[in-house]
Amino acid sequence: IVTNPAQGKAQAAVTGAKSKSAKTVVIPPAVTLNGVKCKVTEISAKAFYKFKKLRKVTIGANVTKIGKQAFYGDSALKSLNVRTKSLKSVGSKALKGINKKAVIKVPSSKRAAYKKVLKNKGQSSTVNIK
C-alpha cells in the first residue's frame, strides 16, 4: 500500500505476504510500485497476524513504524533482524505470541533506545534483544 505518493518522497507500507505459510520474510528498504520507487516505512497492523510457520523476519532500513499486532500469534518466529536505525513506534501486542526463545537483533548503536520501544509489546520475558 502506498502511504505517501509524493514524487521523490513516495512511501509504502507492508500489509502481509502472499501466503500465510511463508517461513521467511524480508522487508526491503524500498520497492517499485507502478514505476514509482517507494521507501518501505511501515509494517501495517496485523500484517503478519497468525502466520504460524513464519520463522525469520528481516526488517529493512527505512521502517519507522510497526503496527498493532503485526506479528501477533507467530509462534514459530525465532529470529527478528531489525536493520532500521529510525524505528520510532511499535504498536501494542505487535510481538504477542512469538516464540519464547526468539532473538531480536537490532543495530548496536540503537540497542538501548530499541529496548524501550520494544518493551511490553506482548513478547515473553525470555525473548532476547541484542
Side-chain angles (χ1 to χ4, degrees):
I1 274 185
V2 176
T3 57
N4 179 2
Q7 187 71 14
K9 295 181 181 180
Q11 296 176 348
V14 175
T15 58
K18 288 181 182 179
S19 169
K20 275 205 169 220
S21 62
K23 291 182 181 175
T24 302
V25 170
V26 176
I27 298 166
V31 294
T32 301
L33 300 171
N34 297 328
V36 177
K37 188 172 182 178
C38 302
K39 284 184 178 181
V40 179
T41 59
E42 182 179 336
I43 299 171
S44 296
K46 295 187 176 183
F48 300 100
Y49 183 83
K50 293 192 177 181
F51 275 48
K52 299 283 187 187
K53 295 183 180 183
L54 188 60
R55 295 173 192 250
K56 183 177 181 180
V57 174
T58 301
I59 297 176
N62 293 319
V63 173
T64 60
K65 178 182 177 183
I66 298 174
K68 293 179 184 178
Q69 300 179 349
F71 299 103
Y72 184 99
D74 296 353
S75 56
L77 184 57
K78 280 189 169 182
S79 175
L80 189 61
N81 187 352
V82 180
R83 294 201 171 148
T84 182
K85 291 184 179 179
S86 52
L87 185 63
K88 291 182 179 33
S89 69
V90 178
S92 64
K93 299 181 184 174
L95 302 172
K96 178 117 175 121
I98 67 170
N99 193 285
K100 290 180 180 177
K101 294 181 180 179
V103 174
I104 302 173
K105 294 179 187 171
V106 299
S108 58
S109 63
K110 293 290 190 175
R111 188 174 297 124
Y114 283 8
K115 280 187 176 188
K116 289 179 184 176
V117 170
L118 294 166
K119 188 176 182 176
N120 297 326
K121 300 305 175 185
Q123 71 273 30
S124 169
S125 62
T126 57
V127 170
N128 192 359
I129 299 173
K130 58 179 181 175

